Amino acid sequence: MDLKVIRYFIEIVDHCGFAKAAEAIHITQPALSKAINLLEEELELTLLERGKRGSQLKPTASGEVVYRYGMQLLKVKMEMHRELEAQRSLNAGELHLGLAPLGSAEIFAPVIAKYRSLYPKINMQLFVRGGIEQAIALKKRDVELATGIISFDEEFEGFCIRRNHMEVVLPKQHPLARHKELSLKQLENEPQILFDEEYALHELVFGGCVKAGFMPKVATKVSHPDFGITLVAAGTGVMIIPEFMAERHAVAGVSRVPLATCDLIWELSLFWRKGHPLSFAAQAMVELIREKLAAEPL
């Protein structure tokens, strides 16, 4: 059912005839009559009581129903357009943003502040979880944008927002601490402190070791880099983490040795479901992030 024809019908009832209605909506009277005849044929109902020439048209009982619901449909259509325009102008809407807890803060804290300043009427909800959970949240549509360590495929698309070399954090007196660079293979016999499985960093390091030809010896798992580095200082094992984390959480009693770039590199990406158009609110966030990256290249 064409809402345009419903509007024609409402105009005929409001103007009590075809002539005035045709003049009001700028359409010829024959075209208007044809449109209403087709509507009646579609519904298999008579909608107007057609009296003598010059007499006022009145809706039948069926026409009253079409008029009443037609008014509601047109109102809903108008409200829909109003809400869409508000979203387009970013005066309304929601943004559900998934942030990986490791590495997102430095980039997103200033971006979120600017976003809230520019678009105060957008309701932003943050979902802070490990990268694995972010991908699940995207699939379930709990978030629209997410950050994490991910390989783009047929399911997700996006772009890298931060890249960092990996380092090996070791006890200061460890024999390998004197090296200028280490490979994963050199850590084959070392007990390692890994992140919990919910963090994409766990899969990155674990998978890198397997690719290097060995299963890592897991000393323990942690959810915070500062605790992991403290365990290293206590002699529990070694830990492979991004350079910026190793630097930020460095403690006395540990040494940091670069890991060979060819073995591993940490990349944090912003991503979303492939083939699914982003909302205006999400598009605005993507643009702000691209602006920040342009001003501060990786």
Side-chain angles (χ1 to χ4, degrees), residues 102 149 166 194-196 198-206 240-242 245 266:
L102 302 176
I149 303 171
M166 301 290 280
L194 299 179
F195 280 97
D196 290 328
E198 67 184 83
Y199 295 96
L201 261 172
H202 172 93
E203 181 58 33
L204 179 68
V205 174
F206 194 96
I240 303 172
I241 59 175
M245 291 185 199
W266 179 83

Side-chain angles (χ1 to χ4, degrees), residues 102-103 106 162 164-165 242-249 266:
L102 302 176
E106 295 83 0
R162 186 168 190 178
N164 205 233
H165 294 290
E243 178 186 15
F244 78 95
M245 291 185 199
E247 182 177 1
R248 182 190 308 161
H249 301 290
W266 179 83

Side-chain angles (χ1 to χ4, degrees), residues 41-292:
E41 289 178 11
E42 179 184 353
L43 296 174
E44 298 181 350
L45 293 167
T46 300
L47 302 179
L48 294 168
E49 294 180 0
R50 295 168 172 82
K52 295 181 180 180
R53 191 176 186 83
S55 61
Q56 290 188 344
L57 287 180
K58 294 182 180 180
T60 63
S62 298
E64 292 282 2
V65 173
V66 172
Y67 182 90
R68 186 172 71 254
Y69 280 98
M71 291 290 286
Q72 294 179 24
L73 289 171
L74 292 178
K75 181 181 178 182
V76 169
K77 178 185 177 183
M78 182 175 64
E79 290 174 348
M80 178 187 72
H81 282 293
R82 186 184 299 119
E83 186 171 337
L84 289 174
E85 181 54 37
Q87 289 188 1
R88 186 179 291 110
S89 59
L90 297 172
N91 287 320
E94 292 188 350
L95 174 60
H96 291 202
L97 177 62
L99 294 179
L102 302 176
S104 295
E106 295 83 0
I107 290 179
F108 280 91
V111 172
I112 288 172
K114 185 175 181 180
Y115 189 94
R116 290 195 182 281
S117 174
L118 291 173
Y119 314 116
K121 295 184 179 179
I122 299 294
N123 178 24
M124 185 190 299
Q125 300 292 327
L126 301 181
F127 180 83
V128 182
R129 296 290 189 279
I132 303 298
E133 288 189 63
Q134 298 295 353
I136 295 172
L138 268 180
K139 293 177 184 178
K140 294 169 61 179
R141 303 189 182 186
D142 291 335
V143 298
E144 189 174 6
L145 298 172
T147 65
I149 303 171
I150 191 169
S151 297
F152 298 122
D153 50 23
E154 70 282 351
E155 196 166 13
F156 300 116
E157 59 182 329
F159 54 91
C160 180
I161 56 176
R162 186 168 190 178
R163 184 179 292 109
N164 205 233
H165 294 290
M166 301 290 280
E167 289 190 342
V168 184
V169 182
L170 315 98
K172 211 169 191 64
Q173 303 305 318
H174 196 289
L176 295 177
R178 297 190 296 271
H179 288 242
K180 291 185 177 180
E181 185 180 77
L182 290 170
S183 67
L184 281 173
K185 190 66 176 174
Q186 288 175 281
L187 304 177
E188 181 173 4
N189 297 316
E190 302 297 328
Q192 290 193 43
I193 298 164
L194 299 179
F195 280 97
D196 290 328
E197 284 88 345
E198 67 184 83
Y199 295 96
L201 261 172
H202 172 93
E203 181 58 33
L204 179 68
V205 174
F206 194 96
C209 292
V210 171
K211 188 176 179 181
F214 68 95
M215 293 288 289
K217 295 180 178 180
V218 182
T220 189
K221 298 172 188 173
V222 297
S223 57
H224 298 285
D226 53 347
F227 183 46
I229 293 177
T230 301
L231 289 174
V232 172
T236 306
V238 304
M239 190 174 189
I240 303 172
I241 59 175
E243 178 186 15
F244 78 95
M245 291 185 199
E247 182 177 1
R248 182 190 308 161
H249 301 290
V251 298
V254 302
S255 293
R256 296 159 45 202
V257 180
L259 185 71
T261 303
C262 59
D263 279 348
L264 277 186
I265 194 163
W266 179 83
E267 290 187 345
L268 184 72
S269 295
L270 178 73
F271 59 102
W272 54 89
R273 289 182 301 145
K274 194 171 186 177
H276 294 265
L278 294 176
S279 68
F280 294 113
Q283 290 177 36
M285 174 58 78
V286 170
E287 287 306 309
L288 279 183
I289 295 169
R290 289 190 186 278
E291 289 175 12
K292 180 173 176 61

